[in-house]
Amino acid sequence: MAYLRVAVDVPLPTLFDYRWDGRADAALGRLALVPFGRRQTIGVVLEVASKPAVAPERVKPALRLIEDIPPLSAEILDLLRFCSDYYHHPIGEVVHNALPQGLRAIRSSVRKQAAAFALAEAGEAALADGALRRAPALAALLERIANCQSVYLANLAAAERRHLKVLRDRGYVREWICPEAAREAPQSAVAPPPVLTQEQSAVLRAIAQSASGFRPWLLQGVTGSGKTEVYLRLVDSVLRGRGQVLLLVPEISLTPQLEERVRNRFPGHGIVMLHSGLSNEIRTRNWLAAQSGEAAIVLGTRSAVFVPMPQLQLIVVDEEHDASYKQLDAVRYCARDLAIWRARQRAIPVVLGSATPSLESFYAAQRGRYAVLRLTQRVTSHVHPRITLVPTTGERLIEGFAAALTRAIAERLRNDQQVLVFINRRGYSPVLYCSACTWTAGCPRCSARLVLHTTRPRLVCHHCGHAEAVAITCPQCGGLDLQPIGHGTQRIESALHRVFPQARLLRIDRDTTQGARHWPQMRRAIEDRQVDLLIGTQLLAKGHDFPALSLVCVLNADQSLYSTDFRASEQLFAQLMQVAGRAGRGEVPGDVLIQTAFPAHPLYQAVYAQSYEAFAQTLLSERRAAGFPPFVHQAMLRAESGKMAQTIAFLESAVRLGEGISEGVTIFDPAPAVMARLNGRERAQLLVQSSSRTRLHRFLDQWLTALRANAATSARWVIDVDPLEV
Ligand code: ADP
Ligand code: ZN
Ligand code: ZN
């Protein structure tokens, strides 16, 4: 008799033991159906033990193992355990956060797809004891199925199908799921890959010549310098060696373009997407295709970092600086950091690409932990976009635009070029203001202002989703003069409509893309030149390649300068370089106009000079002097309750619990969160930090155990390791 130690989706930092009378060695890493309280649930077997951790009479039997899904490999179990340890998050939630939701409901969908086959236990035994010695064709096919973990009926010749039938009748193989994507027929003629630039060749040579094994590379390449082409060449060499590649991008909106490039370059290879825009069923199938080895390339967002890939040979993290790699709720992991851990564990290279690497990566490179590769030249136009800072002081803005911007837009439109107006704020205007008494519309549930939307007239809270009718009179003084203050994408859109009535406009923000669902059509429209003027938020700023786009106008960037977050300037710089990089990727050189009240600000000067390195160096010195990351390691205890006093009281008790054990760790005072009220909850936080990561984690282990034991907790709390938001 064995005991299965199962990760169940509950917020408790422990595994749950179940009795198991079946074969114990086959249970590790499997999904298991187990009783839990009054219900049944699906968990993952993380350990198999000969003795239970609790009194044996309290241990219930596991109901069954889910045989349709191959077990998670030891490697993935290690990754999950590491994620749970490092982020100090309950293992059950980590495991379930990492698996596609559909996996738990797999039985129904498995039945529908029965066109693929995998090795059954009897087949394994047959291979081991040579039962098929007399039938070499059967043995060869079985061997093949064993090697690639599964085989698709569609990929078999007629004779092989007959052999397969024999294998199935003998119980050597069993039916297996068929991921659609992997079956897709090869595309028509493949365009030959471009001739590499000298810089690209040098980069690839450096990687090819380095010793095999774990190696983190920081590919620092200006926008349009051909980083993606470098990834494709690396993918190519992995595919030649029959390996698998994991390509991570920060945003769903970036997947269609890369997917197209990857599919066109590698027709006939299994390529699957993994992101939240896919249905549960497709996502599950794609995940299974990666696990079976059938998908050679996985292209995904954050959570794809957990996908099992038995032949994984390379991980690419594109736009590695992007904050979207950090999950901001549930398990607060950073996919970039886990990707590096995973590469080390598998002893394979990992390539981090960015025009503006995160300071963490920049610093790691300086200390020699990452090897740096540089692409300094743009591929196509050979010129960087020209950046102009347009001062707004003393300027009369018309509809939010300085005259220089309107002129430049008119000129590009005349020359049949596309223009992007970038403003990182959706809605019509961020403030509705009473000029008589200075009242502004606020969210009843959050410490935030309501944003005026006009496409469907409403006041909306961008933090909790609260929406209400637009006030006609001031609720405070009854005044009638309510004014929208400031600009959002909708207001800019209507302004541009008035100024350029002939131009075809397209507004791209979360409201128009419906969480990226409409994005593929919109992207087509831009590529097919059905659009002249784009108005977009940061959705549009990242990685896209629109050759006809030659002018980018940036509005309202100044706002970030007022942020209290010490990462704000790093992020603003990255964002401006990103959005500037959208201009002039085709034949026509690009122009970028940034409207600002502070053209002399060091940040704008750095953007103007397009000098990432110098700016990063300055920021790094500032961080060193101030004792900020990456020079210290941080964790944030975030708490919330119905009342601020209660939240703070909880954090104060947490401070007291930490005092005796905090050697080498600084515990700061509790403070209300920047968004002190969210969704009716009052939030505060407590920062702890140390110059030693080991010390910090040792402290967290003890401290969080004490906090969990502290039953009288009246606040909900969560720990955020390496927090990105302050
Ligand atoms: P990045 O990822 O650095 O922004 P991309 O890889 O998207 O740059 O390259 C920008 C453009 O240049 C793309 O349209 C790409 O097809 C093209 N390109 C990349 N490398 C080459 C090359 N060696 N020769 C010609 N065109 C190239
Ligand atoms: Zn008023
Ligand atoms: Zn709100």
Side-chain angles (χ1 to χ4, degrees):
M1 162 128 49
Y3 292 90
L4 308 183
R5 315 210 61 214
V6 178
V8 175
D9 191 6
V10 290
L12 295 169
T14 167
L15 297 172
F16 294 86
D17 286 9
Y18 293 93
R19 254 196 347 262
W20 182 242
D21 302 323
R23 272 181 56 189
D25 54 338
L28 194 65
R30 287 238 186 241
L31 269 67
L33 185 68
V34 295
F36 195 81
R38 293 208 187 141
R39 59 198 170 97
Q40 297 182 350
T41 187
I42 295 230
V44 175
V45 181
L46 251 66
E47 293 168 18
V48 178
S50 54
K51 287 201 199 74
V54 294
E57 60 274 14
R58 286 180 50 205
V59 178
K60 293 183 200 158
L63 300 172
R64 62 184 159 76
L65 297 178
I66 311 297
E67 299 277 352
D68 291 318
I69 298 163
L72 295 175
S73 59
E75 185 185 319
I76 292 298
L77 298 183
D78 280 349
L79 175 67
L80 296 170
R81 256 187 299 258
F82 170 77
C83 182
S84 165
D85 290 347
Y86 184 83
Y87 292 102
H88 297 268
H89 198 97
I91 181 73
E93 290 190 344
V94 167
V95 167
H96 289 271
N97 171 73
L99 300 179
Q101 291 237 315
L103 214 51
R104 282 183 266 178
I106 194 70
R107 300 201 57 81
S108 53
S109 65
V110 165
R111 292 290 155 239
K112 279 186 268 160
Q113 333 281 334
F117 296 84
L119 193 66
E121 272 173 28
E124 209 174 322
L127 281 178
D129 60 25
L132 290 174
R133 247 181 334 238
R134 306 261 172 81
L138 290 183
L141 181 58
L142 195 58
E143 197 78 58
R144 178 167 148 208
I145 294 173
N147 287 340
C148 69
Q149 309 219 1
S150 66
V151 69
Y152 293 88
L153 204 53
N155 292 343
L156 296 181
E160 290 173 325
R161 289 185 192 198
R162 280 195 301 276
H163 295 146
L164 186 74
K165 187 166 178 310
V166 178
L167 291 176
R168 186 167 49 151
D169 291 347
R170 294 195 190 171
Y172 290 169
V173 297
R174 57 192 168 75
E175 288 178 2
W176 177 229
I177 307 168
C178 182
E180 231 160 71
R183 255 187 316 176
E184 258 169 40
Q187 310 252 328
S188 47
V190 189
V195 178
L196 295 173
T197 64
Q198 275 186 7
E199 283 190 328
Q200 285 171 325
S201 306
V203 160
L204 287 163
R205 219 175 313 123
I207 297 178
Q209 286 169 358
S210 82
S212 64
F214 172 61
R215 197 86 209 260
W217 300 95
L218 181 61
L219 176 58
Q220 189 188 322
V222 299
T223 53
S225 60
K227 292 187 289 295
T228 313
E229 183 59 36
V230 169
Y231 307 152
L232 294 177
R233 298 295 175 115
L234 293 172
V235 170
D236 187 49
S237 64
V238 171
L239 293 183
R240 281 169 204 277
R242 306 197 150 269
Q244 288 178 294
V245 185
L246 175 59
L247 290 172
L248 294 177
V249 292
E251 288 258 353
I252 301 182
S253 69
L254 290 171
T255 53
Q257 184 157 338
L258 188 55
E259 176 182 2
E260 201 172 290
R261 281 176 78 173
V262 173
R263 280 198 198 284
N264 288 337
R265 184 67 65 86
F266 307 109
H269 284 275
I271 299 164
V272 298
M273 305 294 115
L274 280 179
H275 54 71
S276 58
L278 303 170
S279 72
N280 269 339
E281 194 182 331
I282 304 257
R283 211 166 156 184
T284 303
R285 270 199 251 149
N286 289 353
W287 189 93
L288 288 164
Q291 190 196 32
S292 74
E294 193 81 15
I297 303 171
V298 175
L299 174 51
T301 49
R302 191 169 61 220
S303 65
V305 75
F306 295 108
V307 70
M309 297 180 76
Q311 309 301 332
L312 184 64
Q313 298 296 345
L314 170 71
I315 306 178
V316 173
V317 184
D318 193 22
E319 313 289 4
E320 68 88 26
H321 64 278
D322 200 296
S324 308
Y325 283 120
K326 172 91 174 169
Q327 181 152 294
L328 297 183
D329 56 4
V331 188
R332 294 174 175 248
Y333 68 96
C334 172
R336 175 198 61 213
D337 296 348
L338 288 182
I340 294 166
W341 192 87
R342 198 170 167 185
R344 174 181 294 128
Q345 173 208 35
R346 260 200 86 87
I348 57 169
V350 53
V351 177
L352 311 177
S354 175
T356 52
S358 64
L359 282 192
E360 279 75 9
S361 300
F362 181 74
Y363 181 55
Q366 262 186 5
R367 295 204 305 160
R369 287 176 41 225
Y370 301 169
V372 185
L373 303 165
R374 285 195 179 78
L375 294 174
T376 62
Q377 303 296 319
R378 283 195 146 193
V379 178
T380 39
S381 63
H382 297 285
V383 284
H384 295 289
R386 188 175 61 188
I387 294 183
T388 310
L389 301 170
V390 179
T392 50
T393 0
E395 172 99 6
R396 208 172 73 83
L397 301 183
I398 297 171
E399 308 263 21
F401 289 85
L405 271 68
T406 325
R407 260 200 318 274
I409 295 172
E411 190 203 311
R412 297 288 164 154
L413 293 179
R414 249 197 324 275
N415 292 322
D416 212 18
Q417 290 285 301
Q418 283 174 332
V419 176
L420 163 63
V421 174
F422 175 77
I423 176 163
N424 206 9
R425 192 193 275 146
R426 64 199 171 89
Y428 185 84
S429 94
V431 186
L432 187 65
Y433 168 84
C434 169
S435 59
C437 76
T438 75
W439 169 89
T440 57
C443 176
R445 306 178 55 77
C446 305
S447 36
R449 292 202 176 104
L450 293 176
V451 176
L452 177 64
H453 283 240
T454 51
T455 345
R456 193 147 70 88
R458 297 160 307 151
L459 290 165
V460 182
C461 173
H462 284 187
H463 302 278
C464 72
H466 167 89
E468 56 186 64
V470 181
I472 309 287
T473 57
C474 171
Q476 191 165 287
C477 73
L480 284 171
D481 191 20
L482 296 184
Q483 296 173 357
I485 307 285
H487 293 80
T489 46
Q490 293 175 8
R491 191 171 194 173
I492 294 300
E493 182 185 23
S494 47
L496 288 170
H497 247 311
R498 282 191 294 275
V499 184
F500 303 105
Q502 309 297 330
R504 294 164 302 174
L505 266 55
L506 181 64
R507 170 163 63 87
I508 296 170
D509 55 28
R510 221 165 352 119
D511 300 314
T512 61
T513 57
Q514 301 248 332
R517 224 169 333 134
H518 296 164
W519 170 240
Q521 297 100 284
M522 292 179 148
R523 189 175 66 92
R524 282 263 171 276
I526 303 170
E527 280 173 355
D528 297 347
R529 310 287 299 272
Q530 292 161 17
V531 179
D532 307 308
L533 243 172
L534 301 162
I535 300 108
T537 56
Q538 48 96 20
L539 263 180
L540 252 193
K542 300 176 182 178
H544 305 294
D545 192 20
F546 301 124
L549 183 74
S550 69
L551 173 66
V552 170
C553 293
V554 180
L555 303 180
N556 237 321
D558 286 351
Q559 208 203 344
S560 298
L561 298 177
Y562 301 112
S563 169
T564 52
D565 187 343
F566 70 88
R567 283 195 174 82
S569 36
E570 176 187 354
Q571 284 162 358
L572 177 59
F573 181 82
Q575 184 174 68
L576 290 175
M577 294 307 286
Q578 279 289 320
V579 68
R582 297 318 105 214
R585 295 170 72 90
E587 299 299 310
V588 181
D591 255 305
V592 181
L593 302 184
I594 302 174
Q595 197 168 284
T596 168
F598 313 101
H601 192 286
L603 187 141
Y604 286 121
Q605 288 301 314
V607 170
Y608 174 73
Q610 305 186 42
S611 57
Y612 164 78
E613 305 246 9
F615 189 61
Q617 202 58 60
T618 310
L619 289 183
L620 210 51
S621 322
E622 285 172 15
R623 298 263 187 102
R624 187 193 298 270
F628 281 135
F631 298 96
V632 296
H633 305 281
Q634 298 185 325
M636 188 81 89
L637 181 64
R638 303 182 187 278
E640 59 173 52
S641 75
K643 285 265 163 296
M644 184 54 85
Q646 197 177 325
T647 311
I648 295 280
F650 162 74
L651 290 176
E652 279 166 351
S653 73
V655 172
R656 286 192 295 277
L657 281 177
E659 265 159 6
I661 49 173
S662 65
E663 201 203 325
V665 174
T666 310
I667 306 177
F668 288 83
D669 287 333
V674 175
M675 176 77 52
R677 219 172 116 77
L678 178 69
N679 224 342
R681 311 280 295 170
E682 310 227 307
R683 315 183 322 144
Q685 58 201 27
L686 171 60
L687 181 68
V688 296
Q689 72 177 39
S690 174
S691 55
S692 152
R693 203 193 282 279
T694 321
R695 279 217 169 142
L696 178 66
H697 282 266
R698 208 180 304 140
F699 167 74
L700 289 175
D701 274 335
Q702 290 185 42
W703 189 44
L704 298 178
T705 307
L707 267 180
R708 286 195 186 99
N710 196 4
T713 297
S714 48
R716 262 210 310 234
W717 60 269
V718 57
I719 192 76
D720 187 354
V721 175
D722 303 334
L724 273 194
E725 319 159 283
V726 292

